[in-house]
Amino acid sequence: MGYEPTLLRCLFDAMRRADAGLDAIRSTDPDAASAIASVRSVQQLLNGRWIPVLDSLLRCRAMDGYTRTTEGFDDLIDSWLASKPGWSIWADPLATTVDQLSIEQARALGLALSRRDASEPLTNPEVAWLADTLAEISATPALALALLTTLSRSGWAEVCDRLGDQRIALVGERTITARLSEADRGHLDAIDSLFASLAAILANQLVLRPERSAITLTEQMHPYSAALLVSHLRLSAADLAAVSRDLIARYRQGGWADVQNAGPGTADILMQAMLATPGAPARFVLLTRDEPALMLDAAHSSQLAERLILIATDPANISVQEAGSVVPELIHFIDQSYTAGSFYGQYDSGIGAFMVDLIAPWLLQFTVLHQRDWNLDRPQGAQLLAVVIDRDGGLDRLMAHRDRVAAGMTRQVAARTDAARHVIDDLAALLGLLDTVARAVQISDAEDVRAAWDIVWLLTGAATSLLPGNALIGVAVGGASTALQRLATNTDFGSGAVGAVRHDSLFYLDLHAAFAVAAVICARFDQMVADREVPDDTAPPPLPDPASSHPGAQYSSDFSDWLDAVHLGTGEDILNGIKQTMVSVHEGERNAVELALGSG
Amino acid sequence: MPSASQPGNQLRERATALRRLARVLEDADAVTLHRRATMDTWIGPTPQHCHDDLVAARALLLNTSAEVRKAAIRLDQRAQQLDAASARAAPVS
């Protein structure tokens, strides 16, 4: 128990005056009998109980009974109270003897934390005791509420900042030396436990007082300690993204202890928390789109930041329009600003690969056909794509991410109500785009040839699965498609007969395009046969000729001859339309991109 | 305004005294004692009990005052009834 002697003397005097005042109250009226009885009971409370207690304290009975409760670290409250000028600490005759915390003790702890001398460092044993005590308080809502009635924001912010600084040093040492002493490990665990418990207590306050946002709660704290606290607050995706943006912006102003230290810093902690909160990455990226450095140039781990952005910009988590406000900005930022002179002075050697990952699901939006999706001018899409592809291994990585490209296209096409009507356009535009960028970087070896073929085949398969009728999964279903598949399997795109002209990338791209067109034609034709729109014995569409020196032109000629020979009725118009669409969109895309890139 | 000779006057005097008593209770120093027993003065389980007791004492005194005022109102009403009965019983001149 602690007290301030002067104020206690005032209380004692006031109590005696109050007792005297009550003693003077008298009445003989029978209707006042009950009132007089109440007055006497209050008098009894004062002069029978509390006046003697105060009297005994003020008469300094320390020598004959009261002793200081404990010495040492485990009574943080008393030790802090004792440090207050003019305060005295005595054993409390009414204190509980069991270990369980009381409401009064929780209140007292809050007051002690709020009023402690900021210049006094917390010792390891004190932190351990505080961690245990806060854990107990956080588990009992009544205790948590009692603590919050006396715990000031500046009080716990100061404690958190001090512990945050200690944690930065410990984590830095662990990162560099890969080991920590047992004592330091215990201290680190205690700090983390303390933050978790305090967050659990404060989370109640956010629920009880929703006008207090997480930003308000952390505005007096260092970004690092605030990030630790926030990571345990279990905020909603929107709140977590908002407070993360605020803290990372403050962190990037510089001057904080974790900026130059090894190990996860402010942004790393927040990004980890956002990755664990569904929806938070996308919200964060949208909130910071005008300042890409907050996403890319704040975390100590560039891989972590990039993972967050890739999840945020995945078509499953963001709309086409939202992606259009983020992806181009990021590419511009990386191309123009993300250099060795960035915040950390470090250059991320994997940034080229990241850019490819970033655009892969959105490749369709770089085509001329979809330039309005992102409000890009005619050459902008191709120019942005060139920024990505021109980096080392850009095309290889794009080819390697063909699943992501195909999934992105499929998701976008399937999301439209008129999916079937536009799937051919989309496929053709995408193939035209790939065709052109592939020409620009010169496919020169067998692996590249195979990779380029794989992506064309994969996209074509994905597109045909979305054709009218929706019954086709992949391209090799009916007779015509099976024949095409067999031809593709038997055609060695990396060596052998084709290998003889390996150096001629134009040939491969032409062949790829011819296969893509043929795949769609065959798939649609097989569907017509299955639906009995054309007779079973109708000759199948022609296949590309890998042995031809100009397979595209050859296929076009063969297709026209085939159409003239068969009688498909309205099916003739459909198949001819598909072929013409693919060729014209493909050519149109190629022309636009080549114009923008200055290649041909 | 009741005249000095009205039969309800005694009751009215009691009501006035009760209202005076209620005012004394409300103004008693004991009603504000709890403000001096906060954590600015002392901290711990015993001080908390003291503060709680003083808050309870304040509530008791204020409730008691309210009851006394109600008793005064009842006395006034009875006085009016007595006066009215007396007036009805008096001969018409």
Side-chain angles (χ1 to χ4, degrees), chain A residues 499-567:
Chain A
V501 287
R502 182 184 305 166
H503 62 282
D504 188 355
S505 63
L506 292 177
F507 168 81
Y508 292 112
L509 297 166
D510 198 23
L511 184 61
H512 293 165
F515 262 91
V517 174
V520 178
I521 295 289
C522 288
R524 190 68 185 93
F525 177 81
D526 286 340
Q527 186 66 50
M528 288 174 169
V529 173
D531 294 344
R532 301 191 181 283
E533 292 174 17
V534 297
D536 290 351
D537 56 355
T538 306
L543 301 180
D545 181 6
S548 168
S549 57
H550 297 90
Q554 181 68 49
Y555 178 78
S556 191
S557 171
D558 292 348
F559 180 78
S560 297
D561 292 346
W562 173 73
L563 267 189
D564 291 341
V566 296
H567 302 285

Side-chain angles (χ1 to χ4, degrees), chain B residues 4-73:
Chain B
S5 59
Q6 283 181 311
N9 282 356
Q10 189 183 359
L11 293 177
R12 287 194 187 87
E13 286 169 8
R14 284 180 58 200
T16 302
L18 287 180
R19 288 197 176 86
R20 197 177 304 121
L21 172 62
R23 207 160 43 243
V24 169
L25 290 174
E26 289 158 5
D27 293 341
D29 288 341
V31 169
T32 56
L33 264 184
H34 68 289
R35 293 180 191 160
R36 295 179 179 273
T38 63
M39 281 190 274
D40 287 333
T41 302
W42 56 345
I43 290 173
T46 295
Q48 188 60 46
H49 277 288
C50 175
H51 183 264
D52 293 345
D53 277 354
L54 294 179
V55 169
R58 166 191 164 82
L60 179 63
L61 290 173
L62 294 181
N63 286 339
T64 299
S65 167
E67 290 303 320
V68 169
R69 286 188 186 279
K70 285 179 189 171
I73 291 171

Side-chain angles (χ1 to χ4, degrees), chain A residues 73-85:
Chain A
F73 62 81
D74 60 345
D75 199 335
L76 199 60
I77 301 172
D78 284 356
S79 65
W80 284 341
L81 288 177
S83 69
K84 291 177 62 177

Side-chain angles (χ1 to χ4, degrees), chain A residues 2-265:
Chain A
Y3 64 87
E4 205 287 319
T6 308
L7 292 177
L8 200 68
R9 165 64 66 183
C10 291
L11 173 62
F12 177 66
D13 292 343
M15 241 180 225
R16 293 209 306 179
R17 279 199 305 276
D19 178 46
L22 292 175
D23 196 48
I25 297 175
R26 299 178 192 282
S27 174
T28 54
D29 193 302
D31 280 347
S34 169
I36 296 301
S38 296
V39 168
R40 299 295 168 246
S41 74
V42 173
Q43 265 190 286
Q44 178 59 30
L45 184 75
L46 295 181
N47 59 35
R49 183 172 188 182
W50 293 114
I51 289 175
V53 169
L54 294 178
D55 187 42
S56 66
L57 266 178
L58 294 170
R59 283 175 186 276
C60 194
R61 286 180 55 196
M63 300 304 289
D64 62 355
Y66 291 118
T67 56
R68 197 162 164 166
T69 48
T70 53
E71 299 286 359
F73 62 81
D74 60 345
D75 199 335
L76 199 60
I77 301 172
D78 284 356
S79 65
W80 284 341
L81 288 177
S83 69
K84 291 177 62 177
W87 274 63
S88 302
I89 308 298
W90 302 103
D92 191 329
L94 296 184
T96 52
T97 53
V98 293
D99 290 338
Q100 201 171 8
L101 275 175
S102 66
I103 295 289
E104 296 77 25
Q105 285 171 320
R107 283 184 188 147
L109 176 60
L111 199 71
L113 285 171
S114 302
R115 294 181 174 180
R116 70 179 291 275
D117 182 0
S119 64
E120 283 292 316
L122 288 165
T123 64
N124 290 13
E126 281 178 336
V127 172
W129 177 86
L130 196 53
D132 289 344
T133 306
L134 287 182
E136 186 179 345
I137 290 174
S138 70
T140 310
L143 290 178
L145 205 58
L147 179 80
L148 288 174
T149 57
T150 54
L151 181 58
S152 71
R153 230 189 308 164
S154 59
W156 54 258
E158 193 276 329
V159 172
C160 287
D161 287 344
R162 286 213 167 240
L163 294 180
D165 288 347
Q166 292 178 14
R167 191 181 191 279
I168 290 169
L170 289 171
V171 171
E173 185 184 339
R174 186 178 62 184
T175 305
I176 292 169
T177 66
R179 64 171 181 270
L180 273 183
S181 70
E182 193 175 334
D184 283 345
R185 275 202 308 273
H187 188 46
L188 191 57
D189 289 344
I191 291 174
D192 288 346
S193 164
L194 190 149
F195 270 99
S197 298
L198 185 59
I201 292 166
L202 291 173
N204 287 336
Q205 192 181 36
L206 285 177
V207 171
L208 293 171
R209 301 181 64 178
E211 77 280 5
R212 283 195 173 182
S213 69
I215 291 178
T216 312
L217 276 183
T218 55
E219 63 190 1
Q220 293 181 12
M221 302 174 71
H222 295 178
Y224 183 86
S225 54
L228 281 175
L229 194 68
V230 163
S231 69
H232 291 291
L233 275 177
R234 295 181 183 177
L235 296 172
S236 67
D239 288 345
L240 178 58
V243 74
S244 295
R245 190 201 188 288
D246 177 72
L247 291 175
I248 291 174
R250 276 209 281 139
Y251 167 73
R252 287 192 86 260
Q253 291 168 1
W256 306 107
D258 56 323
V259 172
Q260 296 300 335
N261 267 57

Side-chain angles (χ1 to χ4, degrees), chain A residues 248 251-252 259 263-272 293-306 308 338 343-344 346:
Chain A
I248 291 174
Y251 167 73
R252 287 192 86 260
V259 172
T266 297
D268 302 76
I269 293 167
L270 292 168
M271 287 180 177
Q272 284 286 13
L294 297 184
M295 297 181 233
L296 268 173
D297 198 16
H300 291 189
S301 166
S302 54
Q303 288 84 3
L304 180 67
E306 289 164 6
L308 178 103
Y338 196 60
F343 189 51
Y344 292 112
Q346 297 170 350

Side-chain angles (χ1 to χ4, degrees), chain A residues 250-474:
Chain A
R250 276 209 281 139
Y251 167 73
R252 287 192 86 260
Q253 291 168 1
W256 306 107
D258 56 323
V259 172
Q260 296 300 335
N261 267 57
T266 297
D268 302 76
I269 293 167
L270 292 168
M271 287 180 177
Q272 284 286 13
M274 285 190 277
L275 283 170
T277 307
R283 285 181 176 271
F284 173 73
V285 162
L286 290 171
L287 280 175
T288 52
R289 58 191 159 192
D290 296 334
E291 210 170 341
L294 297 184
M295 297 181 233
L296 268 173
D297 198 16
H300 291 189
S301 166
S302 54
Q303 288 84 3
L304 180 67
E306 289 164 6
R307 187 151 59 94
L308 178 103
I309 294 170
L310 290 180
I311 288 175
T313 56
D314 188 287
N317 301 321
I318 198 169
S319 71
V320 173
Q321 287 70 28
E322 288 170 337
S325 67
V326 174
V327 175
E329 282 294 328
L330 280 169
I331 296 173
H332 280 307
F333 173 74
I334 293 168
D335 188 42
Q336 296 168 8
S337 311
Y338 196 60
T339 65
S342 62
F343 189 51
Y344 292 112
Q346 297 170 350
Y347 183 73
D348 174 19
S349 59
I351 197 70
F354 163 71
M355 283 205 289
V356 172
D357 290 342
L358 181 68
I359 63 156
W362 301 106
L363 215 50
L364 209 51
Q365 273 61 47
F366 289 88
T367 65
V368 175
L369 193 67
H370 284 273
Q371 62 186 5
R372 287 188 179 175
D373 288 357
W374 285 3
N375 294 319
L376 298 174
D377 292 336
R378 189 174 177 83
Q380 275 184 319
Q383 285 169 342
L384 280 174
L385 193 60
V387 168
V388 179
I389 299 296
D390 282 351
R391 300 242 173 183
D392 290 344
L395 182 63
D396 291 344
R397 192 165 176 93
L398 186 62
M399 299 302 180
H401 280 61
R402 52 188 173 274
D403 288 340
R404 208 164 148 77
V405 175
M409 182 191 75
T410 305
R411 178 181 285 276
Q412 290 186 47
V413 170
R416 292 202 289 266
T417 52
D418 54 353
R421 194 156 64 85
H422 292 295
V423 65
I424 300 299
D425 287 347
D426 288 346
L427 174 64
L430 212 44
L431 293 179
L433 186 76
L434 287 169
D435 186 347
T436 313
V437 295
R439 286 167 195 268
V441 298
Q442 282 293 318
I443 292 179
S444 58
D445 61 34
E447 283 186 11
D448 287 346
V449 172
R450 171 58 65 184
W453 165 248
D454 284 345
I455 195 169
V456 167
W457 193 248
L458 186 74
L459 288 173
T460 306
T464 50
S465 71
L466 295 166
L467 282 174
N470 226 10
L472 298 168
I473 306 297

